[in-house]
Amino acid sequence: CLAITSAARSVVARIAGPRSLPVKQPLNNQMRALTNDLIVPFKVQASDYSHKVISDTSLTKEHYPEFAPTQDSQCDGCFVGPMGEGDRLEYDFESENDALVNITARIASSDSTHRVRLFLDGKQVSNSTKSPGMGEDTYEDTLLSEEVYVSKGLHTLRVKFIHDGIYLCSLVVSLAGTFIPARLTQETRIQAQNYQGFLEKSPQTNNGGGCNRGDGVDMEITSDPTGGKCFVGGRNEEWLEYDILTRVKQEYSIIARVSSH
């Protein structure tokens, strides 16, 4: 069955599928321990990488790509850069379910012909993506890869800089859809805050209460020990949507964990 377990006042689930799944190959044929506690969906600052590879071994430590607080209003921490040709940054993360994700990088550069490339567990999942080229301090959100399949478990996301002179501010891995299991004895939990669509009638009256996604949906951190991190509060005729993907055609049960005044 599918259990949507955080407190959600209204839930609409769209069932799509079945869809074939690619085979995942773990990086270096092994799973690494998590260092950043990143769980899909997440936003990570560039400087919070798990591993780095600097291609120019002649660089001394003080000439490695720098961390510095960025003035970009959309970045919460430090940028990393300028990256050299062939440099790589890696981010370990976890997916609680088999899922499809979209991956966006916030990057800046002075040359729009300079490119980055994305790998998941050692497999390329994007073409070489051009950087904005609007200047070293002008960051833009750049979609690197769309609807990438990730299986339940640990993964490594690698950003490879094909050319030099690129600055990385942050990465966002957003949830595009969740696969539910083929066996009826298994259960998939989707946290209430991981919706793909919504109707919010008063988006200006709530800042998220620690669970803010920037869209005005009413959310706060929950104290429910068996629920998720956040609960979502709904008013009359508001709704949430969760994209669900199936492997086989069969009947499913949907259970929502809710509360009310």
Side-chain angles (χ1 to χ4, degrees), residues 21-231:
L21 304 182
V23 177
K24 182 189 72 62
Q25 296 295 331
L27 186 62
N28 298 327
N29 294 319
Q30 61 183 356
M31 287 298 186
R32 291 172 167 168
L34 283 179
T35 57
N36 291 329
D37 295 327
L38 301 176
I39 299 176
V40 176
F42 63 86
K43 177 180 180 180
V44 60
Q45 298 304 311
S47 55
D48 292 333
Y49 54 79
S50 307
H51 317 274
K52 69 177 178 180
V53 176
I54 305 300
S55 298
D56 188 349
T57 57
S58 67
L59 292 176
T60 58
K61 187 174 182 179
E62 59 266 25
H63 291 104
Y64 278 1
E66 64 176 318
F67 299 13
T70 176
Q71 302 302 311
D72 184 78
S73 62
Q74 299 301 311
C75 293
D76 300 327
C78 299
F79 69 80
V80 177
M83 303 304 294
E85 181 178 339
D87 289 352
R88 305 193 298 272
L89 297 175
E90 295 180 349
Y91 302 84
D92 294 339
F93 70 94
E94 182 178 2
S95 179
E96 295 180 318
N97 298 302
D98 294 349
L100 296 179
V101 298
N102 299 327
I103 305 170
T104 302
R106 190 163 182 81
I107 56 180
S109 72
S110 297
D111 190 332
S112 63
T113 65
H114 287 192
R115 297 172 180 264
V116 297
R117 192 173 293 160
L118 194 66
F119 296 80
L120 180 65
D121 299 328
K123 180 181 178 181
Q124 184 175 326
V125 292
S126 76
N127 296 321
S128 296
T129 304
K130 290 183 178 180
S131 54
M134 301 298 291
E136 296 176 358
D137 297 322
T138 305
Y139 289 87
E140 291 187 8
D141 292 326
T142 304
L143 181 64
L144 300 184
S145 199
E146 192 172 13
E147 291 198 350
V148 178
Y149 171 73
V150 294
S151 62
K152 179 179 180 179
L154 303 181
H155 299 275
T156 298
L157 184 65
R158 175 190 295 163
V159 183
K160 183 175 182 179
F161 300 85
I162 307 304
H163 302 99
D164 58 10
I166 298 175
Y167 296 78
L168 178 63
C169 171
S170 60
L171 289 167
V172 173
V173 176
S174 59
L175 189 61
T178 302
F179 283 94
I180 55 179
R183 296 198 299 272
L184 291 175
T185 56
Q186 292 181 312
E187 178 180 284
T188 295
R189 292 195 174 202
I190 303 173
Q191 304 304 332
Q193 70 270 17
N194 294 339
Y195 50 82
Q196 280 70 59
F198 67 94
L199 174 63
E200 168 64 45
K201 292 186 175 181
S202 56
Q204 305 303 318
T205 61
N206 180 69
N207 63 8
C211 301
N212 190 16
R213 285 182 50 173
D215 52 20
V217 172
D218 300 306
M219 291 191 288
E220 292 185 28
I221 294 175
T222 177
S223 58
D224 180 8
T226 61
K229 175 184 177 182
C230 305
F231 72 81

